[in-house]
Amino acid sequence: MQKRLKTGCCLVLLYAVFTLISSAVRVVPQVLRLEAMLSLPYGLIFGRLGAISAAFGSALALFLVGANLNQIPLEFLAALISAYLPFRVWQGMKSPQEPRLALYDQRTVTMFVILGLLAVAPMAVYPAVGAEIYQVVPFSASFFKILLPTLLFTLAGGFLLYRKASAYFFAGKGEALWRRLEDKKTTTRNMAVAMLRITLTGLFLAAGLALMVPPEFHSKVVEYTMGVFALLLLVMTGF
């Protein structure tokens, strides 16, 4: 329990630092989402511990920078689901011969990219839906500005970070610690496939709505459709 608590605190602080850097550096017109590179390493290596740490790290950083109070719960859920959903899907997809995702060939890299798209969905949808609901910025005006850097850091930065971290925790000096913290929550293959299909469909639907609805037009269709999708993402995790 003590090891879990210490590791969780370290993960919270690390995620908070990445989020603080993102908040301090403005890349116009996009929003820098440096913390997105932590989603897959946190989820695939630490499971629920990593997801919870990501969520509290995000909330802590936003609180420290004085973010809007409406924004903090949305970013909390985005970080939580972004790390946990790929873990849940992988738990249903893995085999006894390959219980951990190691990036060593085209097949495993392809799986990483697919899981990365699952991680991107909540990170892009939750803030954009929140901005639409609270009438800060229309969904279509914010979605791609959040999606593109999130996609970049999740897949490119996340790949490099996960490759190093997985080697350390799965087959290196950190293996003993990982075995003590390993999350053994299971997922059926059918459930994993359903979560995969629903999330990717929702992500492409969000992109279509963002392209079709003009930025100056606050659409109830977008608000309700993406609101339902955001709620569905939360329910699917079965946290």
Side-chain angles (χ1 to χ4, degrees), residues 111-127:
M111 176 56 72
F112 181 87
V113 171
I114 292 171
L115 295 175
L117 292 176
L118 299 184
V120 166
M123 290 281 280
V125 169
Y126 271 85

Side-chain angles (χ1 to χ4, degrees), residues 12 23 34 40 68 71 73 75 99 123-124 151 169 192 209-210 214 236:
V12 167
S23 300
L34 190 63
L40 288 177
N68 189 303
Q71 181 187 3
E75 293 287 358
M123 290 281 280
L151 190 64
F169 284 106
L209 289 173
M236 281 196 306

Side-chain angles (χ1 to χ4, degrees), residues 7-21 35 38 42 46 53-54 57-58 60 161:
T7 304
C9 289
C10 291
L11 293 174
V12 167
L13 292 175
L14 179 62
Y15 200 96
V17 168
F18 274 59
T19 307
L20 286 170
I21 295 172
E35 65 274 17
L38 298 174
Y42 271 42
F46 298 105
S53 299
S58 176
L60 173 62
L161 188 59

Side-chain angles (χ1 to χ4, degrees), residues 195-207 226 229:
M195 289 191 289
L196 177 64
R197 288 176 176 174
I198 291 170
T199 305
L200 293 182
T201 300
L203 181 61
F204 288 119
L205 176 62
M226 288 296 98
F229 176 58

Side-chain angles (χ1 to χ4, degrees), residues 135-147:
Q135 297 188 350
V136 178
V137 181
F139 179 86
S140 53
S142 64
F143 179 74
F144 282 107
K145 292 180 182 179
I146 300 171
L147 175 69

